[in-house]
Amino acid sequence: MTLKLTKERILENIVKGKRLDSRKLDEYREIRIETGISKKAEGSAKVTIGETAVIAGVKMATATPYPDTPEEGVMTTSAEYLPMGAPEFESGPPREDEIILGRIVDRAIRESKCIDFEKLCIEPKEKVWMVFIDILVMNHDGNLFDACGLAAIAALKDAKMPVLTDDGTVDHEHLKGSLPIKGTPITIAVKCYKGKYILDTNADEGEAMTTQIVVGSNDDGTVSSLQKCGTEGLTKKEIADMLKLAVDTSKKVRTKHFK
Amino acid sequence: MTKSERTDNRKLDEIRPMKMKIGVIKRADGSAEVEFGDTKVVAAVYGPRQIHPRHQERPDRSVLRCRYNMLPFSVSDRKRPGYDRRSTELGKVITESLQPALFLEEFPKTAIDIDMEITQADAGTRTTAINAASLALAHAGIPMRDLVTSVAAGRANKKLLLDMTKEEEDAPDAVDLPVAMMPRTGKITLLQMDGIVSPEDIEKIVDIAEIGCMKIYEMQKKALLEKYSS
């Protein structure tokens, strides 16, 4: 829990364009992406932004396709706070925040169409690959949307296809070829306070300012997912500014971390 | 016990390579990451702190609560997230293996919470979790009678072995016996077993496990000293 005094101090400074850790309003902490962190996963990644740390893993299994997309694979994304991540995290069924986090990251990836679902069809109407993306928050110091989005796409790009054996079982030991991924959707959260736009908020800042939009955008600058969160409203101009900031930022992150 | 035909060319009483790192979770009171061969565990300690739900509160002591959790992608076939019977059991036996080392009566009405997350599983997850949790408790500055140190020993293909691999565990006569102990007092705080074996062999297997525990104990002390000497 952030103290009320700390929150007030954060907000007073934001209005003046300053932050307590002396970053600029649009300045990120150091982002680090490490892939292949869990050998048993088809693909995995650990992302740290400052002290925030999340890990994501991709597992695959066979499943029956949905009736309306009989020739396409399926995917599911979930995000979970590990109790070790922060004093307030508890074990138990996922809570609202975790579900929202998972769904926003899911949408950014799904709607960008970066996974070639048609290539994940094994037998139309009968059998397709199912892609599970599990994201876990290990250390919460703010900006979980960006961190989880990066971890998910990094783990997908790291993923190799398991082999389907003749008797229909899945061989996870001998992986072959990459998962068909085209493009790099990036999720960026932009916070807004009294007309100021702030990127990469840490845990205290995140508690002090809740109003934000979370934008998933693609290599060509298109936006494929969007969600406003928080208790305050936003003007049309603010939304337009924040969208542009998110797309520009995602380009920088993509160039720097995904060649 | 020197020569062997073990799948990974180890000696009969040799453990897999081990790595320990202390202080990996910023907001936790204490934390550690331990790699044991291809098994990886992160443990974090919170507490002593106020206990929720309040009805678990004990007027005369602290309550130690351990969570053992395998991440969905830590195993070959994805594990469904959430608690199952196995993780509930392991949470309980790990609690009981660590509790004898703690002075819980010093912290009445509080909880000490330990979260152990298995990020990569390849035999020996519970023992590695105990080793990591023990380091995290020490890192949190919680008074302890001794570090708790843990490893499994067993039998495969008629040989008594320390720290069996997954392949060895699949042998027809396999017996696996995880042990945790406080080396200073020699007290054993975890003992589980499955497989058919004679009482004499159990004693021998425990002796082998003790050899492993002593090696790990030295590594734990070294990791803690390194953390605080720099």
Side-chain angles (χ1 to χ4, degrees):
Chain A
M1 277 298 281
T2 306
L3 293 171
K4 200 174 164 216
L5 267 172
T6 314
K7 283 189 196 173
E8 283 169 7
R9 220 149 58 87
I10 288 170
L11 297 178
E12 281 164 13
N13 276 280
I14 291 287
V15 178
K16 294 184 223 152
K18 288 182 184 161
R19 296 169 90 162
L20 298 189
D21 56 6
S22 71
R23 279 187 289 152
K24 296 194 201 86
L25 295 189
D26 63 350
E27 188 179 335
Y28 269 72
R29 294 166 291 177
E30 191 190 356
I31 300 177
R32 279 197 197 157
I33 302 176
E34 187 189 340
T35 52
I37 54 125
S38 185
K39 281 189 189 172
K40 297 281 165 127
E42 269 74 285
S44 59
K46 177 177 185 180
V47 169
T48 57
I49 305 182
E51 296 276 1
T52 289
V54 307
I55 57 175
V58 172
K59 285 303 295 181
M60 294 176 69
T62 56
T64 320
Y66 292 115
D68 56 339
T69 52
E71 293 177 26
E72 289 182 20
V74 286
M75 79 156 211
T76 158
T77 312
S78 70
E80 204 180 308
Y81 297 162
L82 297 177
M84 68 171 54
E88 64 271 21
F89 290 176
E90 282 168 11
S91 88
R95 285 174 300 175
E96 213 173 70
D97 292 352
E98 295 164 80
I99 292 171
I100 300 284
L101 181 59
R103 286 185 61 85
I104 286 180
V105 174
D106 182 281
R107 224 175 303 144
I109 287 170
R110 188 183 299 277
E111 300 304 322
S112 76
K113 309 226 173 352
C114 72
I115 302 179
D116 192 343
F117 283 116
E118 282 171 20
K119 286 197 179 143
L120 295 180
C121 179
I122 300 164
E123 203 190 329
K125 289 188 200 166
E126 297 292 330
K127 210 175 200 183
V128 295
W129 285 111
M130 180 158 194
V131 181
F132 293 95
I133 308 170
D134 289 288
I135 312 166
L136 294 312
V137 178
M138 299 190 87
N139 210 344
H140 174 23
D141 190 20
N143 201 10
L144 298 181
F145 285 113
D146 291 22
C148 291
L150 284 173
I153 186 65
L156 281 172
K157 283 174 174 272
D158 180 52
K160 304 274 181 295
M161 295 287 292
V163 174
L164 196 64
T165 56
D166 294 337
D167 57 2
T169 56
V170 180
D171 178 358
H172 294 278
E173 303 297 320
H174 304 93
L175 304 176
K176 218 169 93 183
S178 296
L179 191 70
I181 304 287
K182 41 188 189 192
T184 312
I186 303 271
T187 313
I188 301 283
V190 185
K191 297 243 174 183
C192 179
Y193 181 73
K194 292 200 175 159
K196 302 277 186 198
Y197 309 124
I198 308 100
L199 291 174
D200 185 31
T201 50
N202 64 25
D204 287 340
E205 292 173 330
E207 277 201 43
M209 301 172 278
T210 57
T211 303
Q212 63 183 332
I213 58 171
V214 187
V215 183
S217 63
N218 305 308
D219 302 60
D220 59 0
T222 53
V223 174
S224 47
S225 71
L226 182 61
Q227 180 142 328
K228 186 221 152 241
C229 315
T231 46
E232 303 287 319
L234 293 166
T235 66
K236 273 197 274 186
K237 179 178 179 303
E238 282 170 340
I239 291 174
D241 290 346
M242 289 159 85
L243 260 176
K244 184 171 182 308
L245 181 57
V247 173
D248 290 348
T249 308
S250 77
K251 279 183 189 155
K252 284 183 207 158
V253 173
R254 193 178 291 112
T255 331
K256 189 162 176 203
H257 296 282
F258 297 91
K259 30 177 169 15
Chain B
M1 271 193 293
T2 44
K3 274 195 65 144
S4 80
E5 304 89 57
R6 293 184 71 169
T7 41
D8 55 358
N9 288 321
R10 274 185 289 141
K11 291 178 196 152
L12 298 181
D13 62 348
E14 186 179 345
I15 54 172
R16 288 172 281 172
M18 205 166 201
K19 270 191 217 161
M20 299 174 181
K21 202 172 156 194
I22 291 165
V24 293
I25 307 288
K26 182 198 177 193
R27 293 179 73 182
D29 297 310
S31 60
E33 182 170 13
V34 175
E35 283 180 40
F36 192 34
D38 275 343
T39 295
K40 274 194 207 177
V41 181
V42 184
V45 171
Y46 284 90
R49 64 175 175 182
Q50 203 174 39
I51 189 164
H52 294 288
R54 286 293 290 276
H55 68 81
Q56 291 185 4
E57 182 180 293
R58 301 294 298 269
D60 56 340
R61 64 174 179 91
S62 179
V63 179
L64 177 67
R65 299 185 295 191
C66 296
R67 165 183 140 114
Y68 165 100
N69 184 47
M70 275 181 144
L71 298 188
F73 49 83
S74 64
V75 276
S76 285
D77 285 315
R78 176 178 182 264
K79 182 198 168 286
R80 272 191 60 192
Y83 259 32
D84 53 17
R85 296 172 66 90
R86 180 175 176 274
S87 52
T88 306
E89 180 202 325
L90 290 181
K92 175 84 174 150
V93 298
I94 291 172
T95 305
E96 290 172 349
S97 74
L98 294 169
Q99 191 157 328
L102 299 177
F103 298 87
L104 293 182
E105 63 285 358
E106 297 285 328
F107 309 100
K109 298 183 185 178
T110 62
I112 297 174
D113 290 317
I114 310 182
D115 180 18
M116 285 155 278
E117 302 288 344
I118 317 303
T119 58
Q120 195 172 288
D122 185 35
T125 56
R126 82 193 65 184
T127 55
T128 309
I130 290 170
N131 292 327
S134 173
L135 287 173
L137 281 166
H139 181 227
I142 293 173
M144 294 165 86
R145 290 185 173 85
D146 196 3
L147 289 166
V148 179
T149 160
S150 180
V151 76
R155 181 190 65 198
N157 306 315
K158 296 186 187 152
K159 286 200 182 68
L160 302 185
L161 305 170
L162 180 60
D163 181 28
M164 299 205 295
T165 63
K166 220 115 234 121
E167 297 83 57
E168 286 163 347
E169 279 179 11
D170 291 337
D173 65 335
V175 171
D176 189 31
L177 195 145
V179 169
M181 64 186 298
M182 290 190 282
R184 193 174 61 81
T185 55
K187 287 227 169 89
I188 288 172
T189 61
L190 169 85
L191 190 63
Q192 288 184 298
M193 197 200 71
D194 40 32
I196 295 171
V197 66
S198 68
E200 295 77 39
D201 274 358
I202 291 184
E203 280 181 38
K204 284 183 199 154
I205 293 171
V206 172
D207 286 344
I208 295 171
E210 192 175 357
I211 298 173
C213 282
M214 295 314 289
K215 285 181 187 158
I216 294 167
Y217 186 51
E218 292 307 316
M219 283 189 259
Q220 283 175 311
K221 287 195 287 189
K222 197 169 151 233
L224 282 165
L225 283 171
E226 271 169 15
K227 170 74 186 169
Y228 291 104
S229 62
S230 54

